[in-house]
Coordinates of all heavy atoms in Angstrom, one line a residue:
I165 N 9.3 1.6 0.2 CA 9.5 2.5 -1.0 C 10.1 3.9 -0.7 O 11.0 4.4 -1.4 CB 8.1 2.7 -1.6 CG1 7.5 1.3 -2.1 CG2 8.0 3.7 -2.7 CD1 6.1 1.3 -2.5
L166 N 9.6 4.5 0.4 CA 10.2 5.7 0.8 C 10.6 5.7 2.3 O 10.0 4.9 3.1 CB 9.1 6.9 0.6 CG 8.7 7.2 -0.8 CD1 7.6 8.4 -0.7 CD2 9.9 7.6 -1.6
A167 N 11.6 6.6 2.7 CA 11.9 6.7 4.1 C 12.2 8.2 4.4 O 12.5 8.9 3.6 CB 13.2 5.9 4.5
A168 N 12.0 8.6 5.7 CA 12.3 9.9 6.2 C 13.6 9.7 6.9 O 13.8 8.7 7.6 CB 11.2 10.4 7.0
P169 N 14.5 10.8 7.0 CA 15.7 10.6 7.7 C 15.5 10.4 9.1 O 16.2 9.6 9.8 CB 16.4 12.0 7.5 CG 15.8 12.4 6.2 CD 14.4 12.0 6.2
E170 N 14.4 10.9 9.7 CA 14.2 10.8 11.1 C 13.7 9.3 11.4 O 14.2 8.7 12.5 CB 13.0 11.7 11.6 CG 13.3 13.2 11.5 CD 12.7 13.7 10.1 OE1 12.8 13.0 9.1 OE2 12.3 14.9 10.0
G171 N 13.0 8.8 10.6 CA 12.7 7.3 10.7 C 13.8 6.4 10.6 O 14.0 5.5 11.5
L172 N 14.6 6.6 9.6 CA 15.9 5.9 9.6 C 16.8 5.9 10.7 O 17.3 4.9 11.3 CB 16.7 6.4 8.3 CG 16.4 5.7 7.0 CD1 17.3 6.3 5.9 CD2 16.7 4.1 7.0
A173 N 17.0 7.0 11.3 CA 17.8 7.3 12.5 C 17.2 6.6 13.7 O 17.9 6.0 14.6 CB 17.9 8.7 12.8
A174 N 15.8 6.7 13.9 CA 15.1 6.0 14.9 C 15.3 4.5 14.9 O 15.5 3.8 15.9 CB 13.6 6.4 15.0
V175 N 15.1 3.8 13.7 CA 15.3 2.4 13.5 C 16.8 2.0 13.9 O 17.0 1.0 14.6 CB 15.0 2.0 12.1 CG1 15.2 0.5 11.9 CG2 13.4 2.3 11.9
E176 N 17.8 2.8 13.4 CA 19.1 2.4 13.6 C 19.3 2.4 15.1 O 20.1 1.6 15.6 CB 20.0 3.4 12.9 CG 21.5 3.0 13.1 CD 22.4 3.8 12.1 OE1 22.0 4.9 11.6 OE2 23.5 3.3 11.8
E177 N 18.9 3.5 15.8 CA 19.1 3.6 17.2 C 18.5 2.5 18.0 O 19.1 1.9 18.8 CB 18.6 4.9 17.8 CG 18.8 5.1 19.3 CD 20.1 5.0 19.8 OE1 21.1 5.6 18.9 OE2 20.4 4.8 20.9
A178 N 17.2 2.1 17.6 CA 16.5 1.1 18.3 C 17.1 -0.3 18.2 O 16.9 -1.2 19.1 CB 15.1 1.1 18.0
L179 N 17.6 -0.5 16.9 CA 18.0 -1.9 16.5 C 19.5 -2.0 16.4 O 20.0 -3.0 15.9 CB 17.5 -2.4 15.2 CG 15.9 -2.3 15.2 CD1 15.4 -2.6 13.8 CD2 15.4 -3.4 16.1
R180 N 20.3 -1.2 17.2 CA 21.7 -1.2 17.3 C 22.3 -2.6 17.6 O 21.8 -3.2 18.6 CB 22.2 -0.2 18.2 CG 23.7 0.1 18.1 CD 24.1 1.3 19.0 NE 23.5 2.5 18.7 CZ 23.7 3.3 17.8 NH1 24.8 2.9 16.9 NH2 23.1 4.4 17.5
G181 N 23.2 -3.2 16.8 CA 23.7 -4.5 17.1 C 22.9 -5.6 16.4 O 23.4 -6.8 16.5
R182 N 21.8 -5.3 15.9 CA 21.0 -6.4 15.2 C 21.5 -6.5 13.8 O 22.0 -5.5 13.2 CB 19.5 -6.1 15.2 CG 19.0 -6.0 16.6 CD 18.7 -7.4 17.2 NE 17.6 -7.4 18.1 CZ 17.3 -8.4 18.8 NH1 17.8 -9.6 18.5 NH2 16.4 -8.3 19.7
E183 N 21.3 -7.7 13.1 CA 21.6 -7.8 11.8 C 20.4 -7.4 10.8 O 19.5 -8.3 10.5 CB 22.0 -9.4 11.6 CG 22.6 -9.7 10.1 CD 24.0 -9.2 10.0 OE1 24.7 -9.0 11.0 OE2 24.5 -9.1 8.9
V184 N 20.5 -6.2 10.5 CA 19.3 -5.5 9.8 C 19.9 -4.8 8.5 O 20.8 -4.1 8.5 CB 18.6 -4.6 10.6 CG1 17.4 -3.8 9.9 CG2 18.0 -5.2 11.9
T185 N 19.1 -4.9 7.4 CA 19.4 -4.3 6.1 C 18.1 -3.5 5.8 O 16.9 -4.1 5.9 CB 19.8 -5.2 5.0 OG1 21.0 -5.9 5.4 CG2 20.1 -4.5 3.8
I186 N 18.2 -2.3 5.4 CA 17.1 -1.6 5.0 C 17.3 -1.2 3.4 O 18.3 -0.6 3.2 CB 16.8 -0.3 5.7 CG1 16.9 -0.4 7.1 CG2 15.6 0.5 5.3 CD1 15.7 -1.1 7.8
V187 N 16.3 -1.6 2.4 CA 16.5 -1.3 1.1 C 15.3 -0.3 0.8 O 14.2 -0.5 1.1 CB 16.3 -2.6 0.3 CG1 16.3 -2.2 -1.2 CG2 17.4 -3.6 0.6
L188 N 15.7 0.7 0.1 CA 14.7 1.9 -0.1 C 14.7 2.3 -1.5 O 15.7 2.2 -2.3 CB 15.2 3.1 0.7 CG 15.4 2.9 2.3 CD1 16.0 4.2 2.9 CD2 14.0 2.7 2.8
G189 N 13.5 2.9 -2.0 CA 13.5 3.5 -3.2 C 14.0 4.9 -3.2 O 14.7 5.4 -4.1
A190 N 13.8 5.7 -2.2 CA 14.4 6.9 -1.9 C 14.2 7.4 -0.6 O 13.5 6.8 0.3 CB 13.5 7.9 -2.7
V191 N 15.1 8.3 0.0 CA 15.0 8.9 1.2 C 14.6 10.3 1.0 O 15.2 11.2 0.3 CB 16.4 9.0 2.0 CG1 16.3 9.7 3.3 CG2 16.9 7.5 2.1
D192 N 13.3 10.7 1.6 CA 12.8 12.1 1.4 C 13.4 13.1 2.3 O 14.3 12.8 3.1 CB 11.3 12.0 1.5 CG 10.7 11.5 0.2 OD1 11.4 11.2 -0.8 OD2 9.5 11.6 0.0
E193 N 12.8 14.2 2.3 CA 13.3 15.4 3.1 C 13.2 15.3 4.5 O 14.2 15.4 5.3 CB 12.7 16.8 2.5 CG 13.0 17.0 1.1 CD 12.1 18.2 0.7 OE1 11.4 18.9 1.5 OE2 12.1 18.5 -0.6
R194 N 12.0 15.0 5.0 CA 11.7 15.2 6.5 C 10.2 14.6 6.7 O 9.6 14.1 5.8 CB 11.8 16.6 6.9 CG 10.8 17.5 6.1 CD 10.8 18.9 6.5 NE 10.0 19.7 5.7 CZ 8.7 19.9 6.0 NH1 8.1 19.4 7.0 NH2 8.0 20.6 5.2
L195 N 9.9 14.6 8.1 CA 8.6 14.4 8.5 C 7.9 15.6 8.8 O 8.5 16.6 9.2 CB 8.6 13.5 9.8 CG 9.0 12.0 9.7 CD1 8.9 11.5 11.0 CD2 8.1 11.2 8.7

Side-chain angles (χ1 to χ4, degrees):
I165 294 173
L166 294 179
E170 299 93 328
L172 272 176
V175 172
E176 184 170 19
E177 177 63 27
L179 299 174
R180 194 174 300 278
R182 298 285 203 179
E183 190 71 18
V184 176
T185 301
I186 310 288
V187 175
L188 305 167
V191 179
D192 275 10
E193 296 172 12
R194 60 183 174 86
L195 291 179

